[in-house]
Amino acid sequence: MVHPFGNVPRQTLKQFIYSGNSQHLCHPYQSASDTHVVPQRHYDMKSHSPDAGSESHETHQRYTLDSSAGSGCMKHDSPSTQSRSTRSGSPLSQEDSHSGSTNGNGSPVSASCVTEDPNYLKQKLKDLEAAMLGTDSEIVNSLEISVANQLSLEPEEWVHMTSMPRGNLKELLITCARAVEENNNFAINLMIPELRKMVSVSGEPLERLGAYMVEGLVARLASSGNSIYKALKCKEPKGSELLSYMHFLYEACPYFKFGYMSANGAIAEAVKGEDRIHIIDFHISQGAQWISLLQALAARPGGPPFVRITGIDDSFSAYARGGGLELVGKRLSHIAGMCKVPFEFQAVAICGDDIEVEHLNIIPGEAIAVNFTLELHHVPDETVSTANHRDRILRLMKSLSPKVLTLVEQESNTNTAPFAQRFAETLDYYTAIFESIDLALPREDRERINMEQHCLAREIVNLIACEGEERVERHELFGKWKARLMMAGFRPSPLSSLVNATINTLLQSYSPNYKLLERDGVLYLGWKNRPLIVSSAWH
């Protein structure tokens, strides 16, 4: 996820469409010419019998009763001795079903009539037709069962497919995800082409999100996540371009402004009166979070404290910045100098999973603040590895006796949920995100398309297509984070009312659809009735 929504390795990007061949490549938004097509059979409903579908045959015969009625007669054979065609499965043989059948000499086959009474004959024909075809509803049900059998589907599955949602993108996406979970290739081959017609990167919010969710499904089918980052059509941007897209997202929505401001407020409150402060920032990215905190500390009564920031980073952020952590250090040092704040920057250019205490250069007497802003969900837990770095790092941070630990995370349940449930949760969560972006930037804006593609799409596809260690987007609800933190020895440190008031002021410049909720000292930022980001502090 690109910060603030996460980071993932970059790869060469290609497009897949699922066609039963995991290596088949084609255009991203149209069906391939050799995509699997279900064989089509043609049926005459007048000739169909309930047990016709149980026969294994490919020859298509047509049977009618009208021609028999015209002759006014039938063979003397009783129903129990009627000739049956073993190829067609029909109660009548091909010859017996037509009055125009001939003998070897080309003459009509002679057959004595049961009766000369036309009303009696008419009734008998109706009885025979009812026995063969049943009522209208029985005909439809029988035909469905026959087709389902010939497609190697359970009758219930065929009924489910015939009721596939039409025109409802959300329902069709969820139905397709269930089909993927169940390995229902027939249903998948029906739905993926339909979904591609309904989505657009420049359409309504759900259509835009749907475009990336379909790519996630296709990538999951094509490679089970092994080539996940090849699933997106987009060309890898240059570092400067990616930084620009991230800035667009930062300005368009208040999500990580909310995270930065709430975390900084908790840190400022926890270290007031301290002369030396050491901030340990997991995934520092551009370092933008600390500009406002340095400015606030500069205005502290009695003068600013000495501030040391340890910036932990990975290679992808270096790519996005166009350089290593020294760029962040220079930028923050320059700002601290302008604010007259004594400052030192320490770079730790490794993945957060690998952090050990010796990387942090802890100095006695410094007040420690640990910061996780939209990052801890990237650290694998016990479901991914027995090392369980997620809980290990929390225990490690607790051993440092920090004054405060700040946690900002997406309020979403995608870590251990089964695939279909994870898909539905992802759909619900990012629908709100895309709706909020829709208010800020025009749908045809190329910059908006690029921003969504490079800052959001990769994590969406990662959520859908990847499993195991390859799935780095593993969000948890606040209740789960709370349990992890308390097991590590932390206790809640309620955010102050000043933080709440400051963020309310921020939100006034955005849509009234953004909602701020405080519960037990924890702040939730949501879109309409959907909580999206939660911020908390611990000691």
Side-chain angles (χ1 to χ4, degrees):
M1 176 181 196
V2 177
H3 195 70
F5 294 95
N7 292 322
V8 290
R10 62 192 177 98
Q11 301 282 350
T12 304
L13 305 175
K14 296 181 181 178
Q15 194 71 2
F16 294 95
I17 182 168
Y18 181 68
S19 62
N21 180 354
S22 63
Q23 301 304 316
H24 176 68
L25 303 178
C26 72
H27 190 277
Y29 294 109
Q30 68 183 25
S31 303
S33 59
D34 60 345
T35 298
H36 173 67
V37 178
V38 178
Q40 301 297 310
R41 293 180 171 84
H42 302 284
Y43 298 89
D44 187 323
M45 293 181 68
K46 286 188 176 182
S47 68
H48 186 76
S49 66
D51 55 6
S54 62
E55 303 288 345
S56 58
H57 61 86
E58 294 295 332
T59 302
H60 312 304
Q61 310 288 359
R62 295 175 61 89
Y63 302 94
T64 67
L65 293 176
D66 297 335
S67 58
S68 298
S71 68
C73 64
M74 295 182 62
K75 296 187 71 173
H76 277 294
D77 302 317
S78 68
S80 63
T81 60
Q82 285 178 342
S83 171
R84 296 180 180 269
S85 168
T86 57
R87 294 187 65 192
S88 70
S90 170
L92 293 175
S93 68
Q94 183 177 4
E95 292 76 19
D96 291 342
S97 64
H98 293 77
S99 62
S101 298
T102 62
N103 59 21
N105 297 323
S107 301
V109 175
S110 62
S112 61
C113 295
V114 173
T115 178
E116 298 299 329
D117 184 351
N119 292 330
Y120 181 84
L121 177 59
K122 184 176 181 181
Q123 183 60 45
K124 286 296 183 183
L125 287 172
K126 286 184 177 180
D127 292 344
L128 178 60
E129 183 173 2
M132 293 174 63
L133 299 179
T135 63
D136 290 344
S137 62
E138 289 172 345
I139 295 172
V140 175
N141 293 337
S142 178
L143 182 59
E144 289 176 345
I145 293 172
S146 174
V147 175
N149 287 338
Q150 296 196 46
L151 294 173
S152 299
L153 292 174
E154 293 295 329
E156 297 81 5
E157 190 176 19
W158 175 254
V159 171
H160 173 71
M161 282 310 306
T162 56
S163 62
M164 185 177 71
R166 304 281 182 177
N168 188 318
L169 177 55
K170 183 175 181 179
E171 287 186 16
L172 188 57
L173 282 167
I174 293 174
T175 302
C176 190
R178 292 193 187 115
V180 170
E181 186 175 53
E182 297 166 0
N183 296 315
N184 186 338
N185 293 338
F186 171 73
I188 293 165
N189 284 332
L190 282 179
M191 286 186 278
I192 291 293
E194 286 299 313
L195 284 168
R196 288 196 183 282
K197 298 174 187 176
M198 299 169 69
V199 300
S200 169
V201 295
S202 60
E204 296 180 358
L206 184 58
E207 294 172 345
R208 304 200 309 268
L209 171 59
Y212 302 120
M213 299 200 76
V214 170
E215 296 313 312
L217 290 172
V218 171
R220 184 181 183 90
L221 291 163
S223 61
S224 298
N226 291 332
S227 302
I228 179 62
Y229 304 115
K230 296 179 182 179
L232 290 178
K233 181 183 178 182
C234 56
K235 181 180 178 181
E236 189 73 61
K238 296 178 181 179
S240 58
E241 292 174 341
L242 183 56
L243 193 59
S244 175
Y245 303 148
M246 292 162 62
H247 179 73
F248 267 101
L249 182 58
Y250 181 88
E251 293 299 332
C253 306
Y255 299 122
F256 56 104
K257 287 181 182 177
F258 161 79
Y260 289 173
M261 292 176 67
S262 59
N264 286 352
I267 292 172
E269 180 71 18
V271 300
K272 63 182 180 181
E274 299 288 345
D275 294 329
R276 298 183 65 88
I277 301 169
H278 181 189
I279 298 172
I280 301 171
D281 186 12
F282 280 78
H283 186 63
I284 194 170
S285 189
Q286 319 303 322
Q289 176 173 348
W290 307 117
I291 297 174
S292 61
L293 181 62
L294 289 171
Q295 292 169 341
L297 292 174
R300 197 169 75 172
F306 171 84
V307 178
R308 182 158 66 101
I309 295 180
T310 294
I312 302 168
D313 203 3
D314 55 33
S315 59
F316 188 78
S317 288
Y319 162 75
R321 284 190 301 268
L325 281 169
E326 66 276 2
L327 296 178
V328 178
K330 288 178 181 178
R331 181 187 186 195
L332 292 178
S333 294
H334 176 71
I335 293 171
M338 293 177 62
C339 296
K340 295 182 170 47
V341 175
F343 182 79
E344 179 182 314
F345 183 80
Q346 175 177 282
V348 181
I350 63 175
C351 178
D353 303 8
D354 300 324
I355 283 292
E356 300 290 350
V357 69
E358 53 266 25
H359 294 128
L360 303 176
N361 189 25
I362 301 300
I363 298 175
E366 292 182 336
I368 296 174
V370 180
N371 182 69
F372 291 99
T373 299
L374 301 168
E375 173 58 22
L376 194 53
H377 73 272
H378 289 139
V379 179
D381 68 350
E382 68 280 1
T383 65
V384 181
S385 167
T386 55
N388 189 4
H389 292 294
R390 190 172 294 189
D391 289 339
R392 180 189 71 81
I393 288 174
L394 289 177
R395 291 193 300 269
L396 178 62
M397 293 302 101
K398 180 58 181 175
S399 71
L400 304 179
S401 300
K403 287 286 185 177
V404 66
L405 180 147
T406 53
L407 179 68
V408 180
E409 276 294 341
Q410 289 96 331
E411 183 68 354
S412 183
N413 180 24
T414 62
N415 185 17
T416 59
F419 173 71
Q421 182 180 335
R422 185 206 318 163
F423 184 94
E425 175 76 354
T426 301
L427 178 61
D428 184 64
Y429 184 91
Y430 285 97
T431 295
I433 297 289
F434 276 68
E435 284 180 357
S436 65
I437 293 173
D438 206 48
L439 289 182
L441 295 168
R443 292 178 183 174
E444 297 296 334
D445 190 326
R446 185 63 206 176
E447 295 302 323
R448 181 202 53 73
I449 295 173
N450 287 334
M451 176 194 72
E452 290 176 347
Q453 193 172 56
H454 295 292
C455 298
L456 298 176
R458 284 172 176 258
E459 72 178 66
I460 292 167
V461 177
N462 182 265
L463 276 163
I464 296 170
C466 289
E467 296 296 346
E469 293 181 355
E470 293 172 347
R471 181 157 66 87
V472 297
E473 301 296 335
R474 293 180 170 273
H475 311 105
E476 294 184 320
L477 298 175
F478 176 71
K480 182 65 174 179
W481 292 119
K482 180 179 179 179
R484 289 188 186 279
L485 284 156
M486 295 188 73
M487 283 191 296
F490 286 97
R491 293 295 177 265
S493 182
L495 296 171
S496 71
S497 57
L498 179 60
V499 172
N500 194 327
T502 303
I503 294 174
N504 265 316
T505 301
L506 166 71
L507 295 181
Q508 289 177 6
S509 60
Y510 289 88
S511 167
N513 287 326
Y514 289 106
K515 306 296 182 182
L516 186 66
L517 173 67
E518 186 273 332
R519 185 184 301 149
D520 298 328
V522 176
L523 286 181
Y524 295 80
L525 176 62
W527 175 257
K528 299 179 180 177
N529 295 323
R530 180 43 158 111
L532 296 174
I533 309 290
V534 58
S535 180
S536 60
W538 305 79
H539 65 272

